[in-house]
Amino acid sequence: MSQDLSAGMLDVDTALARLLEQAAPLNPPQALPTEQGLGRVLAQDVGSPIDVPGLDNSQMDGYALRSADVPAPGTRLRVAQRIAAGQMGVPLAPGQAARIFTGAPMPPGADAVVMQEQCRAEDGEVLVDHVPRAGEWVRPRGFDVRAGSVVLGRGQRLRPQDLGQIASVGVAQVSVAPRPRVALLCTGDELAQPGQPLRPGGVYNSNRFMLRAMLEALGCEVSDLGQVADTLQATREALGAAARAHDLVLSSGGMSVGGEDHVRPAVESQGRLAHWSIAMKPGKPLAFGELRREDGSAAHFIGLPGNPVSSFVTFALFVRPFVLALQGASRLQPPALLLPSASDWPRADRRREFLRARLDEQGRVELYPQQNSAVLSSAVWGDGLVDNPGGQAFAVGDTVRFLPFSSLLT
């Protein structure tokens, strides 16, 4: 990995592409019972050994019959059998009908189902008030899934509906990527932990709790190293220990060139570091590198800015896709929604902006009035980010690109 020492700022897409170039999927894959696969990323395709459904079956409660036996409304047929879900019927002779229930296999000879609301049962017969067409209210064999087809592809991050699909084809075990092991550390002697008294000039450490939760939401195994003392020796020791047992070391703060910021020199003494200025607001500084281990391998390192909103936004835009790439996920970036703005933004910055916003009752995007990078309330209030190109002002009614938190944080 070569250092980027260029004086100019990188655009967001270039920075992300350089970051993802280093994100080789982790190995080896892990076999898990299907029911334990939620949130994991498939390491292999899941193929179906069966057709789903396995037989033609009824979509309705009603009567299975031969469509040719009902030339006109009011036709009477003899009810010869009753078929519930999970039961097999016998062949249906001409002039006969079968009482059938949703999901039950069609009896041989029947080619249509008439729903019970269009039928009247009378003394072992059924009066059919509807003329069906062949195939009406019948789910054909393999209607959902064909035997031998791929139901979910490698790289899919498993959702509840995906687990249901895998179970529907009888697959009891899946091959998934290992969980990324991530060490999280924060620096800054001004930071206090919730529950501790806050001395003058101090702030509570919000980033530690926020970033840990964001990592866990992505399926990471997180080692919270807490707050590292603001000395070079303590920082080097913490980074060295973290690199030995983790795939990624993530830090918040301590990346400037000030006398009390030791993360940058500590990383450079144990590996390599690229310190990027990215043309974005908030979150201009981002550091990426590696920490060497004793066996010659290396752990990835990402350093985030210390301001809470900057840390939050850069995690969503850079760390999230990087962590997903470590898991071999096929979809790294959520699509933006194109929606009308409910707010004016006349003072566009030259950098690409990510503005905290939420949807109003009309489905328009409303901006939080205070966009300062230290105002975490803006992210709590918001539903997502407006991705606004550098130098572009907009007004009420203009179309903006909206990135929902529901996509960025999972």
Side-chain angles (χ1 to χ4, degrees):
M1 173 173 49
S2 60
Q3 291 188 342
D4 183 356
L5 299 177
S6 62
M9 290 190 291
L10 293 174
D11 66 77
V12 172
D13 295 333
T14 299
L16 179 59
R18 294 188 184 184
L19 194 69
L20 294 178
E21 286 174 358
Q22 308 299 324
L26 301 173
N27 282 305
Q30 179 183 4
L32 279 185
T34 296
E35 63 268 22
Q36 296 178 19
L38 182 64
R40 304 298 292 271
V41 177
L42 285 176
Q44 295 178 357
D45 293 346
V46 176
S48 176
I50 61 171
D51 289 324
V52 179
L55 296 167
D56 294 354
N57 69 78
S58 176
Q59 294 189 57
M60 289 285 178
D61 292 347
Y63 292 86
L65 44 76
R66 297 170 181 266
S67 58
D69 286 346
V70 186
T75 299
R76 289 182 178 272
L77 301 173
R78 185 172 69 85
V79 180
Q81 54 185 306
R82 181 181 185 277
I83 311 171
Q87 297 178 345
M88 293 296 296
V90 297
L92 196 68
Q96 293 182 345
R99 181 71 168 113
I100 198 166
F101 298 90
T102 302
M106 293 289 288
D111 66 358
V113 172
V114 178
M115 66 177 67
Q116 60 189 15
E117 292 83 358
Q118 296 175 318
C119 299
R120 288 173 285 165
E122 298 179 353
D123 299 326
E125 294 184 327
V126 60
L127 185 66
V128 183
D129 291 328
H130 169 72
V131 177
R133 66 183 186 280
E136 189 168 339
W137 298 121
V138 176
R139 296 189 190 97
R141 177 175 179 168
F143 175 73
D144 185 8
V145 177
R146 287 288 186 184
S149 66
V150 174
V151 294
L152 286 170
R154 176 182 178 181
Q156 172 69 31
R157 191 159 188 251
L158 295 173
R159 305 163 295 172
Q161 60 266 44
D162 300 325
L163 299 180
Q165 181 80 88
I166 294 169
S168 76
V169 300
V171 173
Q173 184 171 276
V174 290
S175 176
V176 298
R179 292 184 184 274
R181 300 166 301 166
V182 183
L184 173 65
L185 61 91
C186 298
T187 65
D189 284 344
E190 77 281 7
L191 299 175
Q193 299 308 309
Q196 296 177 348
L198 194 63
R199 67 175 184 265
V203 294
Y204 285 116
N205 188 349
S206 59
N207 285 357
R208 176 182 179 185
F209 293 84
M210 178 178 67
L211 295 175
R212 175 171 182 163
M214 295 173 85
L215 288 166
E216 289 175 343
L218 293 174
C220 298
E221 294 181 358
V222 182
S223 297
D224 186 349
L225 304 186
Q227 186 173 325
V228 178
D230 267 344
T231 69
L232 180 58
Q233 184 61 28
T235 305
R236 291 185 61 180
E237 290 175 358
L239 291 174
R244 284 193 290 271
H246 297 88
D247 306 301
L248 169 65
V249 179
L250 181 67
S251 79
S252 172
M255 293 303 302
S256 75
V257 295
E260 298 302 320
D261 293 313
H262 303 293
V263 176
R264 183 173 184 172
V267 174
E268 291 174 333
S269 70
Q270 300 185 60
R272 290 181 285 183
L273 184 70
H275 197 267
W276 298 333
S277 290
I278 302 175
M280 62 181 289
K281 183 182 180 181
K284 183 175 74 170
L286 182 74
F288 175 71
E290 61 183 24
L291 295 163
R292 289 188 298 269
R293 304 186 182 108
E294 294 175 356
D295 63 2
S297 63
H300 299 291
F301 172 83
I302 298 178
L304 300 179
N307 274 335
V309 178
S310 297
S311 191
F312 176 80
V313 171
T314 50
F315 185 103
L317 298 180
F318 295 102
V319 180
R320 176 187 178 273
F322 186 83
V323 167
L324 291 177
L326 291 180
Q327 298 175 73
S330 56
R331 186 175 184 179
L332 304 181
Q333 293 288 76
L337 305 179
L338 301 180
L339 299 172
S341 175
S343 302
D344 293 320
W345 187 249
R347 52 187 186 278
D349 194 271
R350 63 188 178 88
R351 293 170 289 171
R352 185 170 169 181
E353 297 173 291
F354 294 90
L355 308 169
R356 277 72 69 207
R358 71 180 180 187
L359 301 182
D360 67 13
E361 294 181 353
Q362 289 76 45
R364 303 178 305 167
V365 180
E366 177 186 4
L367 296 180
Y368 191 72
Q370 176 53 265
Q371 293 289 326
N372 188 282
S373 63
V375 180
L376 191 55
S377 301
S378 64
V380 175
W381 177 90
D383 297 323
L385 302 173
V386 170
D387 178 1
N388 191 48
Q392 181 169 304
F394 57 86
V396 172
D398 290 346
T399 299
V400 296
R401 287 169 49 86
F402 183 69
L403 300 170
F405 288 152
S406 58
S407 299
L408 286 174
L409 303 181
T410 59

